[in-house]
Amino acid sequence: MDVDVKPDIATLEINADVKPDVQTVDSDNEMGDGCVDGRIGTLVVLKSGAVKMKIGDILFDVTQGADCSFLRGLLAVDVRGANSTAHLLGNIETQLLCTPDLDSIA
C-alpha cells in the first residue's frame, strides 16, 4: 500500500524550464509584485494520486467538488482596444475544491 508522504514545501520549487522568466513576460501585471499573470501556484501529484496545490508557502488539498446538473462554460474576454471579443474555451465538466492543508501551515 502506497502511503502519501507530505512534501516539504520549504524545498518545493518550480523547475526553471516550466516557469517563464518574469523579465521576458509582458509587463501588463498591474500588481507590481513580479508574478506572472495567470499563474497562481504549482500542482503536486503524490504517489497515491492525491493532488496538492502550492500557492506561496501554503499547501492546499485538491478534491473533486459536487456535480452540477446545468451547463457551464469558460470564457476568455478581451476588452483591450476598440473591439471587445469573447472566446469560449470549453465546457466545465468537473469542479475542483482547494482547501488549506492545516498540517502544512502549523
Side-chain angles (χ1 to χ4, degrees):
M1 179 170 119
D2 288 334
V3 177
D4 283 340
V5 177
K6 292 186 186 267
D8 183 11
I9 62 171
T11 61
L12 183 65
E13 294 183 13
I14 301 169
N15 294 333
D17 61 338
V18 177
K19 183 177 179 182
D21 184 12
V22 176
Q23 301 299 330
T24 61
V25 176
D26 189 12
S27 62
D28 288 339
N29 184 357
E30 298 175 6
M31 299 295 286
D33 56 5
C35 292
V36 178
D37 288 337
R39 183 181 185 92
I40 62 168
T42 303
L43 286 176
V44 179
V45 180
L46 303 177
K47 286 183 180 181
S48 68
V51 180
K52 306 273 186 177
M53 177 178 265
K54 182 184 177 192
I55 301 175
D57 290 332
I58 301 173
L59 201 60
F60 291 82
D61 293 319
V62 180
T63 56
Q64 186 172 353
D67 292 333
C68 282
S69 60
F70 54 90
L71 181 64
R72 299 176 295 170
L74 180 64
L75 292 174
V77 180
D78 184 7
V79 294
R80 296 176 290 184
N83 296 327
S84 298
T85 57
H87 302 279
L88 178 63
L89 299 178
N91 294 330
I92 299 173
E93 297 179 11
T94 304
Q95 175 175 294
L96 299 176
L97 299 176
C98 294
T99 54
D101 183 1
L102 298 178
D103 292 336
S104 69
I105 295 174

